[in-house]
Amino acid sequence: MDGEVDATESGGSRKRRVHGMLKLYYGMNEEGKSADEPDSLDPCDINGPHFDPDVYLNKLRRECSLGELMDQESCMVKQIRSLDSDMQTLVYENYNKFISATDTIRKMKNDFKKMEDEMDCLSTNMAAITEFSASISGTLQDQHTQITKLSGVHTLLRKLQFLFELPARLNKCVELQAYGQAVSSHRRARCVLQQYSHLPSFRGIQDDCHVIMEQLAQDLRQKFRDGGSSAKDLSECVELLLQLDEPAEELCDKFLNHAGARLQLDLAGLEAEIRTAEPPSSSSSGPPPPSSPAADTSPKTSSPLAPAAAAKTDILEFIDRGCNEFVSSLCLVVASYQELFVHRAQTGELASKNIPQMASGKLQGFVDELAARYFSIVERRIREERGVGDNSLLVRALDRFHRRLQAVAKLLPGSQVPARGTEIVVRAATERVRQYLQALQSFYLDTLTDVRQALAAPRLAAASGASVALGGGTGGLLGAGGGAGGLPELLSSLSASILNQIKSVLASVHLFTAKDITFSNKPYFKGEFCSHGVRENLVVSFIQFICQSSRRFCETASDKGGSSPPALLLLLSRLCLDYETSTISYILTLTDEQFLSQHHNPVTPVTALCAEAREAAQKLLNHYVKVQGLIISQMLRKSVETRDWVNTIEPRNVRAVMKRVVEDTTSIDVQVGLLYEEGVRKAHSSDSSKRTFSVYSSSRQQPRYAASYTPSAPMDTNLLSNIHKLFSERIDIFSSVEFNKVSVMTGIIKISLKTFLECVRLRTFGRYGLQQIQVDCHYLQVYLWRFVSDENLAHFLLDEIVGSTAHRCLDPAPMEQSVIEVICERG
């Protein structure tokens, strides 16, 4: 019975062992789960390691009915059968593997048996060899000691032979120019010769070697001084000289002096080119203005300096030559010097001398000195670029100059040469902006000269009875028609010409900030150059110059109106007003869009410039009114001062000067109307509208004049005049005018009639003199009331003139109003 139990247990353990091996092979644990699944602690989990059959059965009996127990049994039977089937399938599938593994194990047993036999044989042979070796060593021990002694003697003899043959060997190396081998041989023997220099034989060898090495060092110095060898030979030469205890500082100085001499020749060539290119005389005081698009129709005259400019090397060629010759040579010298002295690995005795630091200091001073002279030459050449017609050549030259200096920055990271080169570019750009400002100013002044000539041409044509066009002046400006009708075209052409010139200058200056220009990425050209350089120093300064130069026309006036034509004052006032309304804003917006400037610093606001332009326009218009008023006043003054008013004859006609005043006033009205709007007038009275040419014929006006000018007046005429003044508005003669035609004409007429009044007050009149003034004033009233903003103003001033004449009349007998009207209509 016990045997059967043991057999059953052994059979179960074998099955569990086989089952465990299969699980191990397929990566499963004892519960049939994969290794990464957590173990279950439930005793009722049939697949868990802590499964308890009794607990499981008790749980089933408690929780399940009979039907459920039978179903559970049938399910477990199916699972058992399925597992048995899987086991069979697994065994069948791995049967061949089991057989192959069995054969392999059997074969390995046979191979290991043969290997053990061979290892035993090898061990026996090694023991025999060891025994024979010990026997041979014991036999040859004495001979081995003797051979060691002989080998030491042989080595000593070879060293002595090398020392004795050293002078001849050194001479041979010098003859073959094998300087490196000679220096190496001498360094190997130098310590021994110095140690045994007290022995005569070694002392002689040392002296001979010293003479030979001195000659070799002299040859190396000469080779180094010539500098014609390749970089590798030169580097080897420096290395040998340093090994021969040549002072490193002296070698650096010699190298830099030799290289500096060649670089100085390049700089001398550049200086000579500048001297030969300089014109014989520098008579021009400023840069020529840029070519105007509006001046293309004028004939071109060649400049006297054109041949010199043609023979002169342009700035791009000059910079190219400097970069290709001097800068390239400087970079090669720096690279060679650094390879020889700075970047060379220092070993042995050389490491303690700190040669790279010393060499770097000397190189920095060498580069700074040559760069300073080169920069001075470049700046002199840049200053000669005075013509501002084409800016692209200068920008390309500066870009190439800046770009090539970056090679120096890569070779010498701490050098100030690139920064100083950038400063030169910045100064050149700043100077270029200043030249463009001067060119714009010169262009504007020249354009004004052309305008004055164009304004003078119609007068000459009128004097000869012909009509002359405004075009064809010295500046080629305009194409406007002759006479006053050409003022709008003249203004339009002037404004367009200035605006086109500003756009042309902005386009030229914009090249400094182009994306393909290397220095445009510098902070200066992204910020300060755009906002302060271009916007403020160029555009804003030019606008301020226009306003200031325009105001100067008001500062040179004399009693006769100054040397400026009145039409020019009117034209400039309208130009400044247009700038205030739209042009300034357009120009500054265009500038900001082109240069994309970020205004970090305070800039001039548009409102300030517009206020300055409006102030200039107001001042010019006021001065225009004053000048035109003074011109008419001069005619009236002469007409009053040159006539004998006491003994004059009875008036039969209107005086010619009054007709001239009306004609000139009408001409001025037409002239102002070409540039300014009509303006607002006060509503005219019904009398004025009905009697356009008979202002004094009204029954309402007659009693006033009769009371003033007849001797039988019940009241004193002076008292009546003063009472009338008390109830009339005060007239400001020289007040500022508004920007419209009515205001301008009112100002001119006020000045003219006020002058007429003051001249009358200084004269004495007879009867016919008073009557002539009555006729003249009536004529003026007939024509002048339509030009002023308020007809009462003209009424009042003319009443004042007639009243003042009556006060100064010896026999005040006024003419009948009907007679006055007849004379004026006939005149």
Side-chain angles (χ1 to χ4, degrees), residues 35 118 140 146 196 242 298 330 387 413 474 485 555 663 691 717 803 825:
E118 291 178 357
L140 298 178
Q146 186 176 3
Y196 296 101
L242 291 176
S298 62
L330 180 63
T474 56
E555 299 171 357
E663 291 175 358
R691 53 172 201 280
T717 55
E825 290 175 359

Side-chain angles (χ1 to χ4, degrees), residues 125-137:
N125 292 335
M126 290 297 296
I129 291 172
T130 302
E131 184 179 355
F132 281 120
S133 176
S135 175
I136 292 172
S137 297

Side-chain angles (χ1 to χ4, degrees), residues 418-438:
R420 294 172 60 191
T422 304
E423 292 175 0
I424 291 177
V425 174
V426 169
R427 286 196 293 270
T430 305
E431 176 64 20
R432 201 63 167 176
V433 170
R434 188 187 66 81
Q435 292 177 9
Y436 272 116
L437 176 61
Q438 291 183 353

Side-chain angles (χ1 to χ4, degrees), residues 524-599:
Y524 172 80
F525 286 96
K526 284 187 174 182
E528 186 178 354
F529 176 76
C530 296
S531 61
H532 185 70
V534 177
R535 189 186 190 277
E536 294 297 310
N537 290 347
L538 181 60
V539 178
V540 173
S541 296
F542 180 59
I543 294 174
Q544 291 174 342
F545 174 80
I546 291 177
C547 298
Q548 293 170 2
S549 60
S550 300
R551 284 198 299 266
R552 291 195 191 100
F553 287 100
C554 305
E555 299 171 357
T556 57
S558 63
D559 294 336
K560 297 182 179 180
S563 58
S564 303
L568 179 62
L569 299 175
L570 184 66
L571 192 70
L572 292 179
S573 69
R574 184 66 206 190
L575 177 69
C576 293
L577 185 63
D578 290 341
Y579 267 65
E580 185 263 339
T581 54
S582 61
T583 308
I584 291 178
S585 178
Y586 171 75
I587 292 174
L588 292 181
T589 302
L590 180 66
T591 303
D592 293 339
E593 289 177 352
Q594 285 190 6
F595 291 89
L596 300 175
S597 57
Q598 301 295 330
H599 303 317

Side-chain angles (χ1 to χ4, degrees), residues 12-30 87 90-91 94 97-98 101-102 105:
S13 62
R14 185 177 64 82
K15 288 181 180 180
R16 285 194 299 272
R17 186 171 63 255
V18 172
H19 189 63
M21 293 177 66
L22 289 173
K23 288 182 178 181
L24 181 63
Y25 177 79
Y26 286 103
M28 305 293 289
N29 53 20
E30 294 181 358
M87 178 69 74
L90 193 61
V91 171
N94 292 279
K97 295 181 181 179
F98 293 152
T102 303
I105 292 172

Side-chain angles (χ1 to χ4, degrees), residues 223-224 226-240 255 262 331-341 344:
K223 182 178 179 181
F224 176 76
D226 294 341
S229 305
S230 63
K232 182 179 179 181
D233 294 341
L234 200 60
S235 176
E236 182 182 359
C237 181
V238 171
E239 182 69 26
L240 295 177
F255 182 89
R262 289 182 295 177
C331 291
L332 290 176
V333 169
V334 170
S336 301
Y337 181 89
Q338 289 179 333
E339 183 180 355
L340 293 176
F341 300 104
R344 176 180 297 278

Side-chain angles (χ1 to χ4, degrees), residues 241-256:
L241 287 173
L242 291 176
Q243 292 179 4
L244 291 175
D245 296 332
E246 190 76 12
E249 186 173 357
E250 184 178 344
L251 289 177
C252 292
D253 292 337
K254 289 180 180 179
F255 182 89
L256 294 178

